[in-house]
Amino acid sequence: MRKGRVLAVAALLLFAPSAASGGATAARGVPILMYHVVSAPPGSAHYPDLFVRPRDFADQMNWLARHGYHAVTLKRVYDSWTNGSSLPRHAVVVSFDDGYLSQYTRAFPVLRAHHWPGVLNMEVNFLQPVGGLRPWRVRKLIDAGWELDAHTLTHPDLTTLGDARLWQEVNGSRVALRHKFHVPVDFFCYPAGRYDAKVIAAVKLAGFLGATTTNYGLARPPGFYTLNRVRINGSDGVQGFASKLTNLTPSPY
Ligand SMILES: [Zn+2]
């Protein structure tokens, strides 16, 4: 009986926000796009699909705008799921992994022209080297409304680590980014999509509100620590991109 009541209250808490904000919109799954490098792949690239050409990226963002999508931060999606705050009818999250220079030089101007924020999953040790973003660029992105999230210190496979190293990579990356940029760093991104129950426990303990994976599909509550994403490959172009989006979400029209 008691258990039943607890469950009923939990269900109420889970579903009340969507009712408060106008029905299915808030609780509906949201596509979180996953990008890496936004430039033409060099001939020597081991993983050419991680490179999306700047022209393709611009066309993809234009396609979103033409089809009624509106990019938001992951925190805004999370808030709509958990407290019913408003969300554009066709929300999408545009996330960038690791922290490549081209995310600033190529992707940022395109998103800025749409007045859209991006979400940066930053590997802390990739802030400094040539080819990395450098802190001053990250600050510019934050100033423009981007969300900064943690992607560990050194990008290891977290499922292979001992307890101390796991904590250092998960909690240490949050602490380092918060200290350096004075923003919440509320979400985590698993390197190479690798996670297990122990890794999830560490992510929760470090205070993250949720975490993104490389599992394909729409992100939807209540799986906040295993949020799906939609990988965008260099070979997608605008047509492959469009078919991914339209197969995942009902047409806005
Ligand atoms: Zn990564």
Side-chain angles (χ1 to χ4, degrees):
M1 188 67 189
R2 194 187 168 90
K3 194 176 170 193
R5 249 175 94 163
V6 170
L7 283 176
V9 171
L12 216 86
L13 286 172
L14 192 62
F15 293 112
S18 61
S21 66
T25 304
R28 203 189 50 227
V30 171
I32 303 177
L33 309 180
M34 171 177 43
Y35 286 97
H36 290 83
V37 189
V38 184
S39 62
S44 59
H46 289 300
Y47 304 102
D49 250 358
L50 292 179
F51 293 74
V52 171
R53 286 181 169 75
R55 185 57 204 256
D56 284 347
F57 179 76
D59 288 348
Q60 290 165 356
M61 295 303 108
N62 284 335
W63 185 93
L64 288 176
R66 269 203 322 277
H67 290 80
Y69 288 89
H70 191 104
V72 295
T73 60
L74 183 50
K75 180 62 163 53
R76 206 165 148 200
V77 174
Y78 177 87
D79 285 345
S80 83
W81 283 339
T82 55
N83 67 25
S85 59
S86 72
L87 196 64
R89 186 159 166 71
H90 298 289
V92 61
V93 175
V94 187
S95 76
F96 300 88
D97 286 9
D98 307 327
Y100 299 100
L101 184 57
S102 61
Q103 294 166 352
Y104 180 87
T105 58
R106 300 300 201 158
F108 177 38
V110 173
L111 288 178
R112 191 173 45 194
H114 289 284
H115 306 286
W116 288 348
V119 168
L120 177 62
N121 296 317
M122 190 71 219
E123 178 195 335
V124 174
N125 279 12
F126 208 46
L127 276 166
Q128 297 301 341
V130 175
L133 271 177
R134 308 298 299 257
W136 71 267
R137 293 192 188 90
V138 174
R139 285 196 188 94
K140 292 264 191 197
L141 296 175
I142 291 168
D143 288 348
W146 282 45
E147 176 181 292
L148 179 64
D149 293 328
H151 194 41
T152 72
L153 301 173
T154 66
H155 211 276
D157 177 346
L158 292 173
T159 64
T160 66
L161 304 184
D163 293 354
R165 176 88 196 284
L166 172 62
W167 183 244
Q168 189 185 21
E169 291 283 351
V170 171
N171 185 60
S173 59
R174 183 169 197 231
V175 168
L177 292 174
R178 283 167 67 104
H179 180 74
K180 204 167 194 61
F181 298 107
H182 309 287
V183 290
V185 191
D186 279 330
F187 298 91
F188 187 78
C189 176
Y190 304 109
R194 300 281 296 158
Y195 65 91
D196 58 18
K198 194 172 115 177
V199 171
I200 291 175
V203 169
K204 287 181 179 173
L205 194 61
F208 291 103
L209 301 175
T212 51
T213 68
T214 55
N215 303 335
Y216 190 86
L218 294 180
R220 50 173 96 244
F224 299 122
Y225 293 90
T226 52
L227 293 169
N228 293 332
R229 289 195 290 171
V230 180
R231 180 189 289 276
I232 304 304
N233 292 319
S235 55
D236 285 341
V238 74
Q239 277 177 350
F241 177 89
S243 68
K244 281 181 176 176
L245 265 291
T246 47
N247 287 336
L248 283 165
T249 54
S251 166
Y253 300 111

